[in-house]
Amino acid sequence: MAAYSDRREIDEVFKALADPSRRRLLDSLNACNGQTLRELCADMDMARQSVSKHLGVLEAASLVTTLWRGREKLHYLNAAPINEISERWIDHYDQPRVRALADLKQALENPTMQKPTFVYTTYIQTTPETLWQALTDPAFTKRYWDVTFETDWTVGSTMVWDNHGTIIADPGQVVLESDPYRRLSYTWHNFTPELGEVIGFSEELLADLAAEPRSKVTFEIEPAGDAVKLTVVHDGFEPGSKVAENVGSGWPVVMAKLKTMLETGAPLRIERGTSQSRIVVSSSS
């Protein structure tokens, strides 16, 4: 049954991408993420109702995800379906045959945003309770992220990050929202010289990252049948933010590892070669 469900979801993605008007909507969001329906209609030579129907197809295929900001409904590209297709198929074909898919994946993961906000939605075969534990329990976060948190997860509590073996403590690292099994939000960590050395940041990049205002990440958890819908929103960036670029390429990998760990029990590791990256599920922890 799971295999059939996976095939059906992939079919929906390809059907959504087959229509040129829907591809044009994705191009518009790629150029400017986080648009309202009115803004998207301005670039489309069709009725508002038709644009809305096309967006509904893209949302059903999880290629577009939406967030409400006050009374405005904003539309964002979602890279998760492209990631999942790539993970399943990229190792079965030679590189030239998947170049177009890789280019699309890169475009969706690293859009040029006038409103620098990273939004990523994925569906995981788990429960809200287990997913909450995976987002907060150091025994889980260490496995798929190599990060742990020292905090009691109450609103206003400070957070000490152990980020790849580097301890980062600061009063500005705090829990903003904590509604178990539904919503979790906290401010992002400091960029210290020690972290830069571990991650491999250049001195110039580290200086740019450290100079930016602190951003925040929010996890929204919703039941979705026998699965859970997880939406990650990382925002609070300035235009041209280097942090936004960094998390835009990092979150899809972290979420892929989280999804694989919860659905298979096996950790996911990324092998990076000279020509392409290869995602591998390991049988050992």
Side-chain angles (χ1 to χ4, degrees):
M1 182 64 69
Y4 171 77
S5 177
D6 288 346
R7 290 196 300 271
R8 183 178 59 186
E9 291 171 3
I10 291 174
D11 287 345
E12 289 180 356
V13 173
F14 282 122
K15 288 178 181 178
L17 292 173
D19 186 275
S21 294
R22 291 194 282 270
R23 294 198 299 271
R24 187 175 172 185
L25 284 169
L26 292 177
D27 287 339
S28 180
L29 290 174
N30 186 49
C32 178
N33 219 1
Q35 295 188 58
T36 63
L37 175 60
R38 176 180 55 81
E39 291 169 332
L40 288 167
C41 287
D43 290 333
M44 302 293 292
D45 186 20
M46 63 177 63
R48 181 186 180 95
Q49 184 178 8
S50 297
V51 175
S52 182
K53 287 182 178 179
H54 281 306
L55 287 171
V57 174
L58 292 170
E59 286 187 59
S62 295
L63 288 164
V64 167
T65 191
T66 59
L67 293 174
W68 286 94
R69 288 295 179 261
R71 300 178 63 181
E72 288 191 326
K73 184 180 182 182
L74 304 181
H75 300 78
Y76 293 87
L77 284 172
N78 181 40
I82 303 300
N83 283 339
E84 291 167 8
I85 290 173
S86 176
E87 289 166 18
R88 287 178 173 88
W89 288 14
I90 200 165
D91 287 334
H92 297 286
Y93 300 93
D94 58 34
Q95 184 65 21
R97 293 183 181 179
V98 295
R99 192 173 304 279
L101 177 61
D103 290 344
L104 176 59
K105 177 174 179 288
Q106 177 70 16
L108 292 180
E109 289 184 0
N110 298 280
T112 301
M113 298 178 289
Q114 293 181 13
K115 303 173 183 177
T117 298
F118 177 85
V119 181
Y120 189 98
T121 298
T122 188
Y123 291 82
I124 304 175
Q125 295 287 331
T126 188
T127 64
E129 293 80 7
T130 299
L131 179 53
W132 180 270
Q133 185 179 14
L135 293 172
T136 58
D137 188 334
F140 279 83
T141 59
K142 180 69 174 178
R143 292 184 66 196
Y144 67 87
W145 195 359
D146 202 13
V147 169
T148 62
F149 309 101
E150 183 181 327
T151 183
D152 60 9
W153 295 113
T154 59
V155 174
S157 292
T158 57
M159 303 174 65
V160 177
W161 289 58
D162 182 336
N163 194 334
H164 294 76
T166 300
I167 303 301
I168 309 173
D170 188 273
Q173 298 169 181
V174 297
V175 179
L176 299 174
E177 298 179 68
S178 184
D179 185 356
Y181 321 134
R182 294 181 58 189
R183 186 177 174 91
L184 178 67
S185 181
Y186 49 82
T187 57
W188 204 236
H189 60 75
N190 280 1
F191 290 90
T192 65
E194 293 79 11
L195 178 63
E197 183 176 351
V198 170
I199 301 298
F201 293 146
S202 67
E203 291 185 6
E204 181 180 3
L205 175 58
L206 181 62
D208 288 340
L209 296 173
E212 291 189 23
R214 193 184 299 275
S215 60
K216 66 181 177 71
V217 62
T218 302
F219 302 92
E220 298 179 357
I221 302 170
E222 304 174 54
D226 60 352
V228 177
K229 177 183 178 183
L230 173 63
T231 300
V232 182
V233 181
H234 199 140
D235 58 8
F237 306 113
E238 292 182 330
S241 167
K242 295 293 185 182
V243 179
E245 292 180 12
N246 185 268
V247 302
S249 60
W251 274 124
V253 175
V254 173
M255 290 298 101
K257 291 181 176 181
L258 170 62
K259 177 180 173 68
T260 300
M261 183 190 72
L262 291 179
E263 292 185 343
T264 71
L268 189 72
R269 70 179 188 274
I270 309 296
E271 293 184 353
R272 301 191 181 275
T274 56
S275 60
Q276 70 180 76
S277 298
R278 190 162 67 94
I279 297 177
V280 180
V281 180
S282 172
S283 61
S284 61
S285 59

